[in-house]
Structure formats: C-alpha cells, structure tokens
Amino acid sequence: MGMKRLTRQRKAVLEVVRGAKGHHPDAAWVYQEVRKLVPSISLGTVYRTLEALVEEGYLLPLTRSGEATRYEANLDGHLHMICTRCGEYYDLRVHLPDLLAQARVQYPHLDISGVQVEYEGVCERCRSDLQS
C-alpha cells in the first residue's frame, strides 16, 4: 500500500505512532513527539496527516465519546481493554467467534458493515494504587 505523498511530515507522524508501542497516542501527544523530528510542523498539519493516514488505511482511530481520538498503528485485528480509572488502552488477543457473520445471518435485512468489541476494567497499575 503506497502512501499518496511521502512527505517528511507524513513519514514523521507515521513513525511516531508506529513507535508508540503499547501506547495509543492522541493528536496532542503525536504533535509533541513529531516536533522533535520536524520542529516547524503545526498542530493542524498533524491532525490532517492523522486523518489522511486513517483514510489510507495506515492507522485506526480509537474513539470514545467525550475523549480525544487515539490512534493505533497495529492493524492485526486485536481487541482493547480500556481502564475505567486511568482511561489507558491495553491490547488484548482474545479469540472471538465471527460476530459480524453471525449478525448478518440473524439480520439479513440490515447492511451490517462492521463490529466493534471493547473490554472495560481496571489495569494492573490502577489495581495496585487501589490496594495501596
């Protein structure tokens, strides 16, 4: 999959998100990190670049009502748990049945195009803080 225009800015934004292993950054965090590589980049350019990278299939947006969109560069189809205390996302590898196919069979009159599953709970760090 080729990037439309491999500008220095696009490359830097993608590198920063891909380099955020185990972290699902929002645009503000990406902006701060990209400025270390491209000091002249604007926040608006970072937002537009993130949107373009999502549209081109390089990143996935992680959205929750009332929160800043976060971005995921790991496209392997894993699931997430969101800590209900700190709001951090954690990658999970959990086998699920084909929920999309099941829903399409059960509701053939609907044009169902996707499924989204998120787990909620308390992360290890927050659990430790609660026990202290």
Side-chain angles (χ1 to χ4, degrees):
M1 158 179 357
M3 199 175 291
K4 280 185 181 176
R5 291 179 5 246
L6 186 56
T7 64
R8 180 176 177 215
Q9 295 168 328
R10 274 185 177 224
K11 187 176 178 183
V13 168
L14 189 55
E15 275 180 31
V16 163
V17 178
R18 284 182 173 164
K21 302 283 187 218
H23 174 62
H24 302 82
D26 63 15
W29 186 90
V30 172
Y31 171 65
Q32 292 302 319
E33 295 300 308
V34 170
R35 285 191 61 206
K36 295 173 185 174
L37 304 170
V38 185
S40 62
I41 197 165
S42 71
L43 181 58
T45 297
V46 169
Y47 273 106
R48 286 187 297 277
T49 301
L50 288 167
E51 288 175 19
L53 292 170
V54 167
E55 286 176 21
E56 294 170 18
Y58 290 96
L59 300 176
L60 292 174
L62 303 174
T63 57
R64 296 196 66 171
S65 181
E67 294 182 8
T69 299
R70 295 179 184 224
Y71 296 90
E72 170 79 77
N74 182 352
L75 308 178
D76 71 359
H78 63 278
L79 300 172
H80 295 106
M81 190 214 57
I82 299 103
C83 179
T84 55
R85 292 189 52 92
C86 68
E88 192 59 54
Y89 282 71
Y90 292 87
D91 294 341
L92 300 178
R93 307 228 181 280
V94 177
H95 176 73
L96 291 177
D98 188 345
L99 299 173
L100 185 58
Q102 289 178 12
R104 286 177 173 159
V105 168
Q106 192 169 345
Y107 300 97
H109 57 286
L110 300 175
D111 185 12
I112 302 171
S113 61
V115 62
Q116 198 169 19
V117 175
E118 289 180 346
Y119 292 90
E120 291 182 343
V122 179
C123 70
E124 185 177 10
R125 186 183 68 223
C126 290
R127 280 182 50 198
S128 294
D129 291 346
L130 288 172
Q131 294 170 355
S132 303

